[in-house]
Amino acid sequence: MMKHILMVMMWLWSWQAGAQTTVDYDFNTCVNAGYIGNGTQWDPYQLDYGEGLMDFPEAEWQKIYRRLDFMRPQLMRVVHNTATLMKDGKLNPMGNFEQVRHILDYCQQHGVSVIFGDWGWGLANAKNRSFDRKKVEMAADYVTWLVKEKGYSCIKYYNMVNEPNGYWSTTEGNYDLWRDLTLCFYHRMKRNGMLKKVKLTGADLAIWTPAEVGWQRKAAQDIDIELYDIHTYPSKVTVNSGQYSHIIRAYKDAVPQGHKIVMGEVGLKFVEPVDSLYQQENLRRAAARPHASMDDSQMFIFDYMYGTDMADVLIQTANEGYSGCVAWMLDDAMHSAERPDKLKMWGFWNIFGDERFGADQETIRPWFYAWSLLTRYMPAGCRVMRTAVSGHPGVKAIAVEHEGRRMIAVLNVSKRPQKVTLKGNAKLSDCRRYDYAEGRLKLSDEHILLPNAEHQTLDLPAGQTIDMPGESLILYGEEGFIK
């Protein structure tokens, strides 16, 4: 695999600006129907960062809501710890409800499908291969309470135990333990009359290669999983080279007929040797920030490059037939790593910048706009259409159709400008054009990205050539696509 990546990257680096690259959009051929949607991970916040419990001002919730209103997420992953809601051996559902209700209220009011779940901590003991049946059943009782008593019908799916195949998980990679724990949860949900309301999501595997496909196949035989999902944190070179598509295809191909799969958590790391200089810079940046985790931070969230790289992930994921993509993660303030004040910096912002971490941290980071464009223009129920790219390997593309309206996007992940010819079998009319590239964003009220041009016509059968800056995303959406 490494040899293949190196060959592609040498091609990427050596390609000359001005060489011919063509994107062909085929609106007669659907490659991915019934899309669920894109979104982000939005968990209850830590709130104690080593100096006592913080309040969460209502104004800050409202600021998050306004920003999400632009993104228009369709799929949200929300994970908590049932074990922390135990009091004197009983479930205390009000334990963190103030936060949970703010998250779920937004999803309920905006029609966002939620994958709710449990990290799994405190539910299992991997050393003696056992689990706490009472706590697992209370996890089922808690989500039942949220749906039946509190009316959160937005919770469509449930993920029991985060990344169970990992040594870092509560199950420490023990398949049998995870299966038995999950079946215990399933049977409690059945007893509670919840199986028609909330479907199981799994196996929630953390993957880097196709090696974990066997776990997914076993899970499909043993458990009634409705929606399949995996997590992945590929290296930048793995994504940009296109090797990422080959890896995730194995998991899509292993999904039982009639079921969908989503990317339940995704972000980029620099784990391949080719990306070692990026990793050195990543660690240098983390060390320079007093609140950044050295163990688990992505410090290129401040660079436009991370936006195009994550767009590359999303485009490849959707084109491979996945029905949704959840970015890790919404907000730095949700989680810490080495100690309470060392945050996992991966977010679009840190909402407690003014209150604790520095006012500049509340500023929206560039990748929010790239991810938001591909979330807004890939609504629930849309169809992903076939695209083909010839020429520069750093150019990627996607096409979407929804209720008679069309969107096309083209991505240049290389650092050099590219001349790209757009072709296809449809004519797009009255389009808004958005440019995601350094120096090209048109913003209003900081969180709203305005179109760079309006009333554009794309005569794809005749062909139209555009000039793309390095590390850029250009999207055209027909008027009326966003309602």
Side-chain angles (χ1 to χ4, degrees):
M1 184 179 81
M2 199 61 216
K3 182 178 179 182
H4 170 79
I5 289 175
L6 286 171
M7 290 176 62
V8 174
M9 292 311 294
M10 288 175 65
W11 189 15
L12 255 169
W13 293 327
S14 63
W15 193 277
Q16 297 298 311
Q20 184 65 41
T21 297
T22 300
V23 179
D24 195 343
Y25 297 97
D26 179 2
F27 280 97
N28 291 331
T29 307
C30 176
V31 298
N32 190 353
Y35 202 74
I36 296 173
N38 304 317
T40 182
Q41 180 106 4
W42 190 11
D43 300 325
Y45 287 68
Q46 183 173 312
L47 294 185
D48 188 346
Y49 305 96
E51 296 178 358
L53 201 63
M54 286 183 59
D55 292 327
F56 204 134
E58 182 63 30
E60 299 293 25
W61 284 115
Q62 294 302 320
K63 181 182 287 188
I64 294 172
Y65 295 164
R66 288 194 298 273
R67 294 173 174 187
L68 288 176
D69 283 349
F70 176 75
M71 181 189 288
R72 295 198 180 196
Q74 304 286 290
L75 182 65
M76 201 75 77
R77 184 170 183 255
V78 182
V79 185
H80 79 120
N81 250 348
T82 301
T84 64
L85 300 181
M86 298 285 290
K87 187 175 182 180
D88 299 326
K90 297 181 180 180
L91 179 68
N92 175 28
M94 296 302 295
N96 67 345
F97 186 64
E98 183 61 20
Q99 285 202 67
V100 171
R101 78 167 181 87
H102 273 95
I103 295 170
L104 295 182
D105 279 353
Y106 184 88
C107 295
Q108 184 73 23
Q109 292 164 13
H110 292 81
V112 182
S113 294
V114 174
I115 301 174
F116 203 73
D118 197 304
W119 295 111
W121 301 115
L123 301 185
N125 185 331
K127 298 296 183 290
N128 61 22
R129 301 182 180 183
S130 66
F131 65 91
D132 189 320
R133 180 174 297 275
K134 184 175 182 179
K135 288 181 180 178
V136 171
E137 290 179 344
M138 286 189 178
D141 292 345
Y142 179 56
V143 72
T144 299
W145 179 80
L146 287 172
V147 174
K148 287 189 173 181
E149 299 299 321
K150 294 300 180 181
Y152 290 118
S153 58
C154 59
I155 300 177
K156 304 295 186 185
Y157 309 101
Y158 197 98
N159 161 220
M160 176 47 76
V161 181
N162 182 66
E163 300 176 355
N165 62 314
Y167 65 84
W168 55 88
S169 173
T170 189
T171 52
E172 297 184 9
N174 186 307
Y175 173 81
D176 291 344
L177 175 58
W178 171 78
R179 177 200 60 207
D180 293 347
L181 186 158
T182 303
L183 285 172
C184 175
F185 175 85
Y186 176 86
H187 291 305
R188 185 69 167 197
M189 291 287 280
K190 183 177 182 179
R191 174 182 162 182
N192 291 350
M194 288 291 291
L195 294 183
K196 290 184 178 180
K197 297 178 182 295
V198 179
K199 307 293 186 180
L200 278 185
T201 299
D204 208 58
L205 306 176
I207 68 100
W208 286 267
T209 71
E212 303 295 324
V213 169
W215 180 302
Q216 180 173 301
R217 289 198 179 105
K218 284 195 294 183
Q221 293 173 351
D222 294 342
I223 301 171
D224 186 12
I225 295 173
E226 175 67 22
L227 178 67
Y228 287 79
D229 85 310
I230 60 171
H231 297 180
T232 185
Y233 287 83
S235 203
K236 173 179 170 62
V237 67
T238 306
V239 174
N240 293 163
S241 69
Q243 186 65 23
Y244 171 77
S245 286
H246 297 284
I247 293 169
I248 66 172
R249 187 177 303 154
Y251 296 90
K252 173 63 172 68
D253 289 346
V255 170
Q257 188 173 3
H259 293 264
K260 296 178 183 293
I261 185 171
V262 298
M263 187 62 65
E265 191 179 304
V266 68
L268 270 82
K269 293 189 175 181
F270 307 113
V271 295
E272 294 288 353
V274 174
D275 288 333
S276 61
L277 292 180
Y278 284 114
Q279 178 61 0
Q280 290 175 31
E281 175 62 12
N282 190 58
L283 293 174
R284 186 197 69 78
R285 293 183 184 188
R289 289 182 179 266
H291 299 296
S293 165
M294 291 288 289
D295 292 342
D296 193 356
S297 289
Q298 172 50 273
M299 303 309 296
F300 281 81
I301 50 178
F302 299 97
D303 293 37
Y304 280 75
M305 179 189 81
Y306 194 68
T308 50
D309 284 346
M310 286 295 284
D312 198 356
V313 163
L314 196 159
I315 286 171
Q316 289 185 55
T317 301
N319 282 335
E320 284 297 327
Y322 283 65
S323 294
C325 205
V326 176
W328 178 267
M329 57 182 186
L330 183 74
D331 195 323
D332 294 349
M334 295 191 305
H335 300 293
S336 65
E338 304 95 296
R339 60 177 200 247
D341 66 331
K342 288 292 186 178
L343 302 179
K344 297 185 178 187
M345 291 188 65
W346 288 83
F348 297 117
W349 54 74
N350 183 330
I351 204 62
F352 293 145
D354 285 338
E355 290 81 3
R356 194 182 195 285
F357 298 106
D360 63 317
Q361 296 305 296
E362 291 201 25
T363 301
I364 294 174
R365 294 151 190 172
W367 76 287
F368 167 81
Y369 304 106
W371 193 261
S372 292
L373 280 176
L374 291 173
T375 298
R376 286 171 65 84
Y377 278 93
M378 296 181 69
C382 72
R383 302 192 305 155
V384 180
M385 313 307 285
R386 178 179 292 168
T387 59
V389 181
S390 61
H392 196 287
V395 174
K396 317 291 175 69
I398 193 166
V400 167
E401 186 274 334
H402 184 59
E403 296 180 352
R405 302 289 197 277
R406 300 182 176 101
M407 175 277 277
I408 64 170
V410 60
L411 175 72
N412 174 22
V413 297
S414 72
K415 295 187 181 298
R416 293 183 176 182
Q418 302 297 329
K419 190 178 293 291
V420 180
T421 299
L422 309 179
K423 302 187 74 175
N425 54 13
K427 186 174 182 178
L428 277 66
S429 60
D430 201 13
C431 291
R432 294 180 176 182
R433 169 175 164 157
Y434 294 89
D435 290 16
Y436 172 84
E438 190 164 7
R440 290 203 180 187
L441 298 187
K442 293 183 65 177
L443 299 178
S444 171
D445 296 331
E446 70 140 7
H447 63 285
I448 298 174
L449 185 62
L450 299 174
N452 295 79
E454 298 185 78
H455 309 301
Q456 300 280 289
T457 296
L458 290 178
D459 190 352
L460 296 180
Q464 182 159 339
T465 300
I466 60 173
D467 292 311
M468 298 193 70
E471 295 178 338
S472 64
L473 169 71
I474 295 177
L475 181 147
Y476 294 90
E478 288 187 314
E479 185 65 32
F481 194 103
I482 301 295
K483 294 183 172 60

